Amino acid sequence: MPPLSLGKVMRRTSIRSFNAAILQNIAILPGEIVFCEINGVSSIEATKKALANDEGLLLMIEKDGEDEEGNPIENTVYEIGVVSKVRQISRSSENSARVLFEGVERAKLVELKEGEHIFEAKARYLTKKEMGKFNSVTEAAMRRNLEQLLDKFLKMNSRVSDSFLKKIRRDSDIDKMIDVCASNIPMEFDKKLGVLQLEAIEDRYAYLMSVLVDEMGIMKLRGELSQKLEDKINENQKKYILEEQIRLIREELGDNNPESEADNYLKELEELQASDEVKESIRKEIERFKNIPSGSSESTVEQLHIEALLKLPWDKASEENNSLENAEKILKRDHYGLEKVKDRILEFLAVRNLTEKGQTPIICLIGPPGTGKTSIAKSLAEAMGRKYFRISLGGVRDEAEIRGHRKTYIGAMPGMIANGLERVGVKNPLMLLDEIDKLSSDYHGATASALLEVLDSEQNKTFRDHYIEVPIDLSDVFFIATANSKSDIPGPLLDRLEVIDVSGYTENEKFHIAKEHLVKKQLIKNGLTRKNLVISDSAIRSMISLYTREAGVRSLERKIGEICRKSARKVYEDREKKISVTAKNLSEFLGKEKYLPEDRAGKAEVGLVRGLAWTSVGGVTLEIEVNLMPGKGNLMLTGQLGDVMKESAQAGLTYIKSICDKMGVNENFFKSHDIHIHIPEGATPKDGPSAGVTMATAMASALTGIPARGDIAMTGEVTLRGRVLPIGGLKEKLLAAKAVGINEVLVPVKNKSDVEEISDEIKDGMDIKFMTQMDEIFKIALTKEFTPLKEKSSRKRASK
């Protein structure tokens, strides 16, 4: 053929002219004979001309993507093409033709242009330098490696004939061997194109070897998957046959007939107390169940779904007790204190009795642990004649726990709300959402957001559980939520709740709770009576002050239980028939005291001021100490203080510096001295702004040398201008002051309304003074007034 004979005579670097055709998504390698489709008038004309003149045709492969205007035509095709012989045109039309080509040799495109209805190209054959040189030993090694890999490949792929392997072994040229191999094995267009486009033989060899290794890996994995699938199919067939046999046997016995099960469901549906819309939805599910094969997994899913629908109390309600006298009696019987909660329930019952309906409130009780938030819900349920169900939300982090799972999932079930209604069997229970501030959230969704619909009285009439799929009316459910901290409840959720603060108990309240409730409860729990064990009032008071330190009464109840257990052992062993526990012998039952009483009010000292703080277990007093030392004007803070408390100290120091002239302190004093503020009990973390006025007063005392009174306590936030701002936890703070014998307390004037709400039992004997500015606090807390700097200077001059 002309291209070959000319290639032998002319230099391989010589540029030759060819007619050209462009192929789409097909690559032809040298030595390969293949039918392919060509499109376009110019390509078809070039092919016909090459066949007529028995000359070589340059086949170029078109790149993906449309040609952009203005680009040279050679940029739309790959650089390496193949000079081919046209053997036959079997079918031809104006725009397409089916042609049999025989690839002859690679050629590198130099120029491609479209003449008059024909593609014309200039190209050259690859040089030996471009194809690479290597010795006979290297070529032999490459041949053997390729033959061994092909042998393994053919054993794994039975669809490829091994006849071409004999042809490969006859070829001594590694170049031809690679092309024949790539032409005869199944290969994707992109990979075959990669073999064609590589110039160096060594690169083609490495590329082909990697393709073969990848294909073998894929075939191995496909084989393993096919085997697994076949095993699974055989197992499923076996299971199906066995299930069909079981079904036929049960049909013969008249057992487990889907029709009879569906009939039973229809009978239950007729007796169900529900609206027509709900009944129609359930009826559709039952009809669907009839048409599902009984052995299928879908049948089980549908069966469980229908049973869940039939168990829900759609319109079934318990009869309520609307008697205010009965409710008040039960609430007083079971709980001491908690007057706000009791009043709110009695108000609701009064409104319901007047209106016959009344909107059910959604109450949230917020307070320290052990203050009776959870237990009062049971008493409320009994007082109102409602059934009780508790949902613990602590650590719940999946939205599906509230709304349920889609029934198509494996192990799907209704959410906590729907499950609670199913358990109590009525639509108007009292449902306690315990620890609502302990909700979590992750990639499963925000649990708090799922509760928004539940706790919105305008929306919960049509609450939709994902598993139930039929709207559930929650408007008759009395929801009570409990939490320890308001700050941990998301804002949108808190907005839907009617918050009632449950503060810690006073020592007197704890005493009454223990005497009237806890002792009686523990005696019954441990099999004792008042004939066996008597716990004196002095013992109870000692337990409260020396063995427990909490806002609630849980630890106190545990201590009483410990006494009862040790007494029960003595009674059982007949060592003692009657045991009396007093303050004197209390240590025999509970060991040494765990908590020492706080220091009582002391004498006036410089730089030592007593403040008041709130903790999760009640109020405490803080003795804030301030020392001055030579230095560079630094402020040191110790005692494990939080960021807010540190900022409060900085604000107090700024205010003190701003009035240093009035205090009689030279402004240069701050540059040459360090101020150290320490709050004892350094192992206990402390935070909050309420110690601001105390720290400022202690600094003023230390800087002026004027002693601060030891029989006074204070609380309040301080600003840069010396204003005293309101704080929280005032009841607990006043209790802490009273416990250490301090009867005079300074509080912000804006807390006056909070003081008015505190019971007279706590305020009795206390002198509570309301402050607006730090100047007022200095006048009361310090033993004498400041001497201004000007007055000090004039006194010095007069003395001279």
Side-chain angles (χ1 to χ4, degrees):
M1 142 170 211
L4 292 176
S5 60
L6 285 172
K8 292 175 182 177
V9 176
M10 300 176 67
R11 290 173 60 85
R12 296 188 68 85
T13 55
S14 301
I15 296 174
R16 302 195 52 203
S17 297
F18 294 95
N19 292 324
I22 298 177
L23 303 178
Q24 288 94 20
N25 298 323
I26 188 169
I28 298 176
L29 296 171
E32 185 178 12
I33 300 173
V34 64
F35 265 113
C36 67
E37 194 89 17
I38 60 172
N39 299 303
V41 175
S42 298
S43 293
I44 294 171
E45 287 300 319
T47 305
K48 288 180 178 178
K49 187 174 180 181
L51 180 63
N53 297 333
D54 193 21
E55 60 186 13
L57 177 69
L58 181 62
L59 296 178
M60 303 303 298
I61 294 97
E62 186 177 37
K63 293 180 180 178
D64 289 339
E66 299 179 357
D67 179 28
E68 298 179 3
E69 293 185 10
N71 286 346
I73 192 169
E74 55 262 25
N75 287 0
T76 65
V77 296
Y78 289 96
E79 186 179 18
I80 306 295
V82 61
V83 176
S84 303
K85 182 176 180 179
V86 182
R87 288 198 166 197
Q88 178 186 345
I89 301 177
S90 63
R91 175 175 56 80
S92 177
S93 64
E94 184 177 350
N95 290 317
S96 67
R98 184 169 175 77
V99 184
L100 181 64
F101 290 112
E102 179 184 357
V104 179
E105 190 169 356
R106 286 177 177 79
K108 197 169 188 178
L109 181 66
V110 176
E111 183 184 3
L112 178 64
K113 62 182 180 178
E114 189 171 10
E116 190 174 347
H117 302 302
I118 195 168
F119 284 122
E120 297 173 352
K122 289 182 179 181
R124 64 175 177 79
Y125 295 117
L126 298 179
T127 63
K128 289 184 179 180
K129 184 177 180 181
E130 290 173 324
M131 290 190 290
K133 294 181 180 180
F134 33 82
N135 56 42
S136 59
V137 176
T138 304
E139 185 173 355
M142 293 167 66
R143 285 175 57 83
R144 287 180 187 178
N145 284 343
L146 184 57
E147 287 176 6
Q148 289 177 0
L149 194 61
L150 276 173
D151 191 43
K152 293 180 181 177
F153 178 81
L154 293 173
K155 286 178 181 178
M156 295 179 69
N157 194 334
S158 58
R159 292 183 299 172
V160 180
S161 173
D162 60 353
S163 60
F164 81 92
L165 192 58
K166 298 176 183 177
K167 182 180 177 183
I168 287 174
R169 287 174 177 155
R170 288 197 302 269
D171 285 329
S172 60
D173 191 347
I174 186 66
D175 183 16
K176 292 181 180 178
M177 186 178 178
I178 292 170
D179 288 339
V180 171
C181 179
S183 300
N184 284 275
I185 63 174
M187 193 179 290
E188 296 173 358
F189 164 68
D190 291 342
K191 295 177 180 177
K192 196 171 181 182
L193 179 64
V195 176
L196 177 64
Q197 294 299 308
L198 291 171
E199 297 178 6
I201 295 173
E202 195 169 352
D203 292 343
R204 287 183 228 156
Y205 167 78
Y207 182 77
L208 179 63
M209 293 288 281
S210 68
V211 170
L212 286 172
V213 170
D214 289 345
E215 288 295 324
M216 288 169 66
I218 292 170
M219 285 189 292
K220 183 179 179 182
L221 184 59
R222 286 183 62 187
E224 291 174 356
L225 292 173
S226 298
Q227 185 61 44
K228 287 181 181 178
L229 182 62
E230 186 177 348
D231 294 343
K232 188 84 178 274
I233 290 171
N234 292 337
E235 185 182 342
N236 288 341
Q237 285 178 339
K238 180 181 177 182
K239 186 178 179 181
Y240 174 75
I241 291 169
L242 291 173
E243 285 178 347
E244 284 297 307
Q245 289 176 345
I246 292 170
R247 186 180 65 82
L248 291 171
I249 292 169
R250 284 179 173 174
E251 285 182 0
E252 289 296 322
L253 295 173
D255 185 24
N256 197 28
N257 189 340
E259 293 292 332
S260 63
E261 286 185 9
D263 291 339
N264 290 335
Y265 290 148
L266 288 172
K267 288 179 182 177
E268 290 183 41
L269 180 61
E270 293 301 320
E271 299 172 1
L272 186 67
Q273 298 180 31
S275 64
D276 293 339
E277 292 81 6
V278 172
K279 285 187 174 182
E280 185 59 33
S281 298
I282 300 175
R283 188 174 285 106
K284 287 179 181 178
E285 295 294 327
I286 296 172
E287 292 299 325
R288 186 170 178 272
F289 169 69
K290 283 183 179 180
N291 299 322
I292 299 174
S294 61
S296 67
S297 59
E298 190 179 359
S299 173
T300 305
V301 171
E302 190 62 41
Q303 192 171 1
L304 293 172
H305 184 229
I306 293 171
E307 288 173 0
L309 290 170
L310 291 171
K311 287 178 182 177
L312 280 175
W314 298 98
D315 285 342
K316 184 180 178 182
S318 59
E319 186 176 347
E320 295 183 36
N321 187 339
N322 294 326
S323 170
L324 266 66
E325 294 79 8
N326 177 66
E328 189 172 6
K329 179 182 176 183
I330 292 174
L331 293 174
K332 285 185 176 180
R333 180 198 69 191
D334 294 344
H335 287 81
Y336 184 88
L338 300 175
E339 299 302 330
K340 287 185 180 179
V341 184
K342 296 174 182 176
D343 288 343
R344 183 64 187 90
I345 302 306
L346 296 175
E347 289 166 7
F348 162 69
L349 291 176
V351 171
R352 168 158 286 200
N353 290 343
L354 289 173
T355 62
E356 296 184 359
K357 177 66 178 175
Q359 192 175 48
T360 306
I362 299 171
I363 294 172
C364 180
L365 307 177
I366 298 180
T371 50
K373 300 184 299 297
T374 303
S375 62
I376 197 172
K378 287 184 180 179
S379 300
L380 292 177
E382 183 186 350
M384 299 168 65
R386 292 181 178 234
K387 291 194 175 182
Y388 170 78
F389 187 79
R390 175 179 170 270
I391 296 175
S392 179
L393 296 175
V396 174
R397 55 188 176 84
D398 189 352
E399 176 253 359
E401 294 286 338
I402 305 298
R403 287 186 169 275
H405 306 79
R406 303 286 179 187
K407 67 177 182 180
T408 51
Y409 295 146
I410 296 173
M413 60 181 69
M416 289 179 169
I417 305 298
N419 182 56
L421 292 174
E422 180 185 324
R423 293 277 295 275
V424 297
V426 291
K427 71 169 187 173
N428 62 336
L430 186 146
M431 200 168 284
L432 176 67
L433 304 178
D434 210 6
E435 308 291 358
I436 200 170
D437 57 331
K438 308 297 190 301
L439 287 169
S440 305
S441 61
D442 60 6
Y443 62 93
H444 292 292
T447 317
S449 300
L451 281 173
L452 293 178
E453 183 184 1
V454 176
L455 299 179
D456 192 329
S457 55
E458 299 298 326
Q459 298 181 39
N460 62 13
K461 294 178 181 178
T462 55
F463 171 70
R464 189 175 288 273
D465 185 280
H466 290 157
Y467 184 82
I468 301 299
E469 295 181 343
V470 181
I472 303 172
D473 185 4
L474 300 179
S475 60
D476 289 328
V477 178
F478 196 127
F479 286 106
I480 293 182
T482 68
N484 296 132
S485 173
K486 186 186 293 186
S487 60
D488 293 331
I489 304 175
L493 186 59
L494 186 63
D495 185 55
R496 288 162 167 79
L497 304 172
E498 185 178 332
V499 175
I500 298 177
D501 289 315
V502 181
S503 57
Y505 294 119
T506 65
E507 285 197 7
N508 187 50
E509 287 174 331
K510 289 180 183 180
F511 170 76
H512 284 289
I513 291 170
K515 187 174 182 180
E516 297 171 17
H517 300 283
L518 302 183
V519 172
K520 189 187 301 182
K521 178 180 176 182
Q522 288 299 321
L523 286 173
I524 296 170
K525 190 175 180 180
N526 290 279
L528 298 171
T529 65
R530 294 190 183 275
K531 294 179 180 179
N532 305 124
L533 175 64
V534 176
I535 301 176
S536 69
D537 293 353
S538 62
I540 294 174
R541 294 190 186 278
S542 295
M543 275 190 280
I544 293 169
S545 59
L546 301 177
Y547 288 89
T548 63
R549 183 163 292 177
E550 57 178 343
V553 291
R554 279 192 186 141
S555 294
L556 179 59
E557 184 177 2
R558 282 193 285 268
K559 294 299 177 186
I560 295 171
E562 189 176 344
I563 292 171
C564 291
R565 288 193 301 274
K566 291 183 178 180
S567 301
R569 181 181 175 185
K570 291 181 178 181
V571 170
Y572 182 73
E573 293 175 351
D574 289 330
R575 282 188 281 167
E576 295 181 46
K577 292 186 177 180
K578 186 173 182 179
I579 299 167
S580 295
V581 180
T582 64
K584 291 181 179 179
N585 67 350
L586 186 61
S587 59
E588 296 177 12
F589 295 87
L590 300 180
K592 292 184 178 180
E593 297 90 345
K594 286 191 174 183
Y595 302 100
L596 296 175
E598 291 190 52
D599 293 336
R600 310 294 290 183
K603 62 180 182 178
E605 292 186 43
V606 175
L608 180 64
V609 181
R610 195 183 291 260
L612 300 172
W614 178 92
T615 70
S616 60
V617 295
V620 293
T621 63
L622 297 174
E623 288 190 329
I624 296 179
E625 301 174 342
V626 175
N627 265 356
L628 306 176
M629 65 207 80
K632 298 181 180 180
N634 296 324
L635 174 64
M636 290 183 288
L637 300 165
T638 55
Q640 204 173 150
L641 310 186
D643 290 339
V644 176
M645 206 165 190
K646 289 177 181 177
E647 291 172 1
S648 189
Q650 291 283 359
L653 178 58
T654 301
Y655 168 69
I656 293 295
K657 286 181 178 180
S658 70
I659 63 165
C660 62
D661 287 344
K662 294 181 181 178
M663 293 169 55
V665 180
N666 194 304
E667 60 183 15
N668 294 323
F669 182 86
F670 294 99
K671 297 177 182 178
S672 58
H673 288 79
D674 290 341
I675 300 175
H676 187 172
I677 300 177
H678 176 69
I679 302 178
E681 295 186 27
T684 306
K686 308 167 191 74
D687 204 0
S690 64
V693 296
T694 315
M695 289 188 285
T697 305
M699 284 188 280
S701 173
L703 288 165
T704 59
I706 301 173
R709 290 170 57 188
D711 60 346
I712 195 170
M714 62 188 72
T715 181
E717 180 180 354
V718 68
T719 70
L720 297 177
R721 303 296 178 89
R723 291 183 295 126
V724 180
L725 300 184
I727 43 76
L730 194 57
K731 176 185 174 183
E732 288 80 4
K733 292 177 180 179
L734 292 178
L735 283 169
K738 196 169 186 178
V740 296
I742 294 177
N743 296 324
E744 189 173 351
V745 180
L746 309 182
V747 301
V749 70
K750 291 185 178 178
N751 283 114
K752 195 170 184 178
S753 58
D754 298 323
V755 173
E756 291 172 355
E757 290 185 4
I758 296 173
S759 65
D760 294 336
E761 178 189 345
I762 298 172
K763 294 185 291 184
D764 186 34
M766 296 195 76
D767 182 12
I768 301 172
K769 295 178 179 178
F770 300 101
M771 304 289 109
T772 57
Q773 288 286 334
M774 284 300 302
D775 292 343
E776 301 170 11
I777 294 177
F778 292 153
K779 288 178 183 178
I780 298 172
L782 302 179
T783 55
K784 64 179 183 178
E785 295 186 3
F786 299 136
T787 303
L789 203 57
K790 292 180 180 179
E791 191 175 326
K792 278 186 177 181
S793 300
S794 63
R795 285 181 182 177
K796 283 182 181 180
R797 286 195 296 269
S799 64
K800 289 179 181 179

